[in-house]
C-alpha cells in the first residue's frame, strides 16, 4: 500500500514543477538580442558543442535571475569564472557563468529580475571581452528536440536554446504591449 502512495507523491511533485509559471527576463541588465550571437548555441568547435550563449556587456554590469527559482549552486572564487545554478520551473537548471562576483548563496530563492552577480571576464582572460555565459539544461528530456541526424543529438534533448527562451517570450510581450485596445 505504501509504494503506490510514494509513487503518486513523487509524480505529483514532479508535475508541480511543470505547473509553476515560468517568467523570463534577459539576465544581463540592459542587454538586447544584438548583444549575443544566436548562432553560438550548439556551435560545434572541436570535440564539444557550445550549449549556451555569451551575452557581452561591460565588466561589472549587474546579472539578474532570468526566471524565479532555487539557487542550487554558487561559486565565488577570487580568481574569477564564478558560477550560479538556479533550478527554475519545468525542472530547468539556469547556468550563469563568467561572473565577476556572486551575490546569492545556495539554498536561497531568487525572483525574476533579482540581482545574482555581475558580469566578469572568462577565466580572467584579458584577450576575451567580458560576458555572461548563459545556458539552460532540462533535467527531463525534451522529446520534441530529438533530431538523431544531428551531431550530439542525445545531448540536445537536455538543453534549451537560450536565445529562443529569451526572445520568443520577449517578442510576444512587445506585441501585446503595442496591440491596439479593442473598442
Amino acid at each position: 500500500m505504501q509504494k503506490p502512495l510514494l509513487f503518486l507523491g513523487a509524480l505529483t511533485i514532479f508535475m508541480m514543477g511543470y505547473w509553476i509559471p515560468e517568467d523570463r527576463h534577459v539576465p544581463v541588465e540592459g542587454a538586447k538580442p544584438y548583444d549575443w550571437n544566436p548562432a553560438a548555441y550548439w556551435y560545434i568547435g572541436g570535440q564539444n558543442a557550445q550549449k549556451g550563449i555569451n551575452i557581452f556587456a561591460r565588466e561589472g554590469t549587474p546579472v539578474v535571475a532570468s526566471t524565479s527559482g532555487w539557487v542550487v549552486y554558487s561559486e565565488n572564487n577570487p580568481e574569477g569564472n564564478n558560477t550560479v545554478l538556479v533550478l527554475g520551473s519545468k525542472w530547468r537548471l539556469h547556468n550563469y557563468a563568467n561572473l565577476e562576483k556572486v551575490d546569492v548563496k545556495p539554498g536561497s530563492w531568487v525572483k525574476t529580475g533579482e540581482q545574482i552577480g555581475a558580469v566578469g571576464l572568462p577565466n580572467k582572460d584579458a584577450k576575451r571581452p567580458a560576458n555572461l555565459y548563459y545556458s539552460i539544461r532540462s533535467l527531463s528530456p525534451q522529446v520534441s528536440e530529438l533530431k538523431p541526424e544531428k551531431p550530439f543529438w542525445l545531448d540536445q534533448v537536455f538543453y534549451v536554446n537560450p536565445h529562443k527562451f529569451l526572445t520568443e517570450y520577449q517578442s510576444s510581450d512587445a506585441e501585446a504591449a503595442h496591440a491596439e485596445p479593442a473598442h
Side-chain angles (χ1 to χ4, degrees):
M1 185 73 178
Q2 291 290 351
K3 287 183 181 180
L5 287 176
L6 284 173
F7 176 74
L8 186 60
L11 183 63
T12 301
I13 290 170
F14 180 76
M15 292 305 296
M16 286 175 61
Y18 288 96
W19 295 330
I20 298 170
E22 185 174 59
D23 298 332
R24 299 178 186 190
H25 190 279
V26 176
V28 176
E29 190 173 281
K32 302 287 183 225
Y34 54 77
D35 291 320
W36 65 82
N37 181 356
Y41 173 70
W42 223 261
Y43 171 76
I44 300 171
Q47 296 291 329
N48 294 317
Q50 178 157 320
K51 299 168 179 94
I53 57 175
N54 296 84
I55 303 173
F56 295 95
R58 291 186 188 273
E59 192 173 356
T61 302
V63 172
V64 298
S66 60
T67 190
S68 297
W70 180 49
V71 178
V72 294
Y73 176 80
S74 72
E75 179 180 359
N76 206 0
N77 183 344
E79 298 298 315
N81 202 20
N82 298 311
T83 303
V84 172
L85 289 175
V86 176
L87 179 62
S89 65
K90 298 185 181 181
W91 299 104
R92 293 177 174 170
L93 274 173
H94 297 260
N95 178 21
Y96 307 85
N98 299 344
L99 297 171
E100 179 181 65
K101 66 179 180 116
V102 173
D103 297 332
V104 293
K105 302 230 181 291
S108 61
W109 182 265
V110 292
K111 295 179 186 173
T112 305
E114 182 178 332
Q115 185 165 342
I116 60 173
V119 172
L121 293 172
N123 295 325
K124 295 290 183 188
D125 185 357
K127 296 175 190 165
R128 295 181 60 198
N131 69 80
L132 169 73
Y133 176 76
Y134 178 62
S135 65
I136 307 167
R137 182 178 176 103
S138 176
L139 296 182
S140 59
Q142 304 171 100
V143 181
S144 63
E145 297 298 317
L146 188 63
K147 297 174 183 136
E149 69 280 359
K150 293 196 170 192
F152 303 103
W153 62 273
L154 189 56
D155 286 347
Q156 281 189 315
V157 298
F158 289 100
Y159 285 90
V160 176
N161 183 338
H163 172 72
K164 283 185 179 179
F165 177 82
L166 296 172
T167 58
E168 286 179 0
Y169 184 80
Q170 300 293 336
S171 63
S172 65
D173 278 357
E175 290 168 11
H178 289 55
E180 293 282 328
H183 295 283

